[in-house]
Amino acid sequence: QVQLEESGGGLVQAGGSLRLSCASSLSLSNINFMGWYRQAPGKQRELVAAFTSSGITDYGDSVKGRFTIVRDNAKNTVYLQMNSLKPEDTAVYYCKAKRIGRLTDYWGQGTQVTVSS
């Protein structure tokens, strides 16, 4: 079992920045996938950024160059630094993780990000 606790969402004006945090109950050394997804009203959940099982960092096309995913192994935490925010970034952001050798997806409860124009 992996518990994920997200924080850092809120309301920001367009052009502003936010940093989301996702703290894992399990050491990141036991996790081979950890990242962020988002879901806007009426839309499918989409990948934002992730450290993948193949060892690469993946970003959704709409956030490349604006968002950065960073990990702190000592704190078992992954951060999503979001800069140059746009109203279309408004969504609930979810953290997801997978344990090494397991198929189960673990999700956080989600944190709301709202960008006003």
Side-chain angles (χ1 to χ4, degrees):
Q1 186 81 348
V2 180
Q3 293 182 331
L4 304 171
E5 185 173 349
E6 300 135 333
S7 60
L11 173 64
V12 64
Q13 288 190 330
S17 298
L18 281 175
R19 189 178 79 158
L20 306 183
S21 300
C22 176
S24 168
S25 62
L26 192 67
S27 169
L28 297 189
S29 63
N30 293 315
I31 292 174
N32 66 352
F33 179 98
M34 193 155 175
W36 292 93
Y37 288 72
R38 68 185 182 188
Q39 188 165 19
K43 294 188 176 182
Q44 288 190 328
R45 194 170 294 190
E46 63 175 359
L47 173 71
V48 178
F51 294 106
T52 70
S53 57
S54 58
I56 65 172
T57 305
D58 196 14
Y59 290 93
D61 288 341
S62 62
V63 307
K64 286 179 181 176
R66 299 189 297 124
F67 291 10
T68 304
I69 188 169
V70 177
R71 62 194 292 163
D72 185 335
N73 292 333
K75 295 183 178 180
N76 296 330
T77 298
V78 169
Y79 302 95
L80 183 68
Q81 178 66 45
M82 305 186 294
N83 298 328
S84 302
L85 283 161
K86 304 175 181 180
E88 50 264 43
D89 294 317
T90 295
V92 178
Y93 284 69
Y94 297 91
C95 183
K96 173 184 166 181
K98 281 189 171 183
R99 293 187 64 171
I100 293 173
R102 307 285 179 90
L103 298 178
T104 304
D105 292 339
Y106 296 96
W107 293 91
Q109 79 284 358
T111 185
Q112 177 71 46
V113 171
T114 303
V115 184
S116 63
S117 58

